[in-house]
Amino acid sequence: MIYLILGFVFFCVFVISHILCARCGLMNVQLSRLLFLSIFWLVVYAAIVQLFDVAAGPGMRSAPLLFTSQALYFLICLTYIVECSLVPYGSPSMKILEWVSRQADAEATHGQLREFLAGEKLIQTRLEDLIAGSYIHFDGARYRLQPRGLRIARLMKAYRGILRREAGG
């Protein structure tokens, strides 16, 4: 049980160190750096466990629990990394919540909300992100899928077909 608790403690250390690094400007949401940071804390975790097991004497280590806790730590870190990488790309729902929160008394009428949704504000940032990521190309008149965007569109269509789900936002 102690190994599982240590795994969660080191995950918290990983998250805190990521927050501190981001606050200091050392890293933002960069996959390679986040993976390095998670592996760094995994190695520290394994080294500390090894030191305490050697000091406690032979037979104190339970290898299956140790490896399970390390695997759990790494999988939780990967989940965190995936979630972090999605933070900059706010969903339309999140953009609506943020927009309403900036209004007077954090409220808006139905008409104001429809005006916001009808404007280019919500869609334009999405299009700019897709262009910057080389998913689409804009030639001044038309948007055209790039090979990267076409692969993603086909993948999502297949995924939705497998799950029998309709497109949603």
Side-chain angles (χ1 to χ4, degrees):
M1 185 67 165
I2 189 73
Y3 292 124
L4 295 176
I5 293 170
L6 278 173
F8 283 111
V9 166
F10 271 90
F11 171 71
C12 292
V13 169
F14 162 71
V15 172
I16 291 168
S17 63
H18 174 232
I19 292 169
L20 291 175
C21 288
R23 290 274 186 182
C24 295
L26 298 175
M27 82 166 61
N28 205 353
V29 182
Q30 297 159 320
L31 180 62
S32 59
R33 290 185 180 182
L34 283 172
L35 282 173
F36 172 78
L37 193 61
S38 68
I39 292 170
F40 170 78
W41 286 115
L42 180 64
V43 169
V44 171
Y45 170 36
I48 288 174
V49 168
Q50 184 66 30
L51 287 174
F52 281 109
D53 280 348
V54 169
M60 294 302 292
R61 185 195 315 196
S62 174
L65 281 179
L66 174 62
F67 294 134
T68 300
S69 71
Q70 289 174 338
L72 183 63
Y73 160 82
F74 194 67
L75 290 173
I76 293 171
C77 285
L78 290 178
T79 303
Y80 173 82
I81 291 168
V82 167
E83 289 298 319
C84 272
S85 67
L86 297 176
V87 167
Y89 306 106
S91 69
S93 301
M94 197 61 211
K95 289 182 188 268
I96 291 169
L97 291 175
E98 290 172 356
W99 182 80
V100 172
S101 73
R102 288 192 303 264
Q103 303 309 306
D105 296 328
E107 59 183 39
T109 66
H110 182 72
Q112 289 172 320
L113 194 52
R114 287 186 57 87
E115 182 181 315
F116 169 71
L117 293 174
E120 292 184 24
K121 298 174 189 173
L122 195 62
I123 302 299
Q124 190 60 37
T125 56
R126 276 300 155 104
L127 291 172
E128 290 168 0
D129 287 343
L130 290 170
I131 292 169
S134 299
Y135 293 100
I136 62 173
H137 173 73
F138 183 60
D139 64 9
R142 295 177 168 254
Y143 290 97
R144 184 173 310 242
L145 277 177
Q146 296 297 305
R148 186 176 187 184
L150 191 56
R151 280 193 304 271
I152 296 295
R154 287 180 180 158
L155 179 68
M156 290 307 294
K157 184 177 179 183
Y159 180 68
R160 287 186 182 124
I162 290 169
L163 295 178
R164 295 185 180 157
R165 301 281 299 190
E166 295 296 321

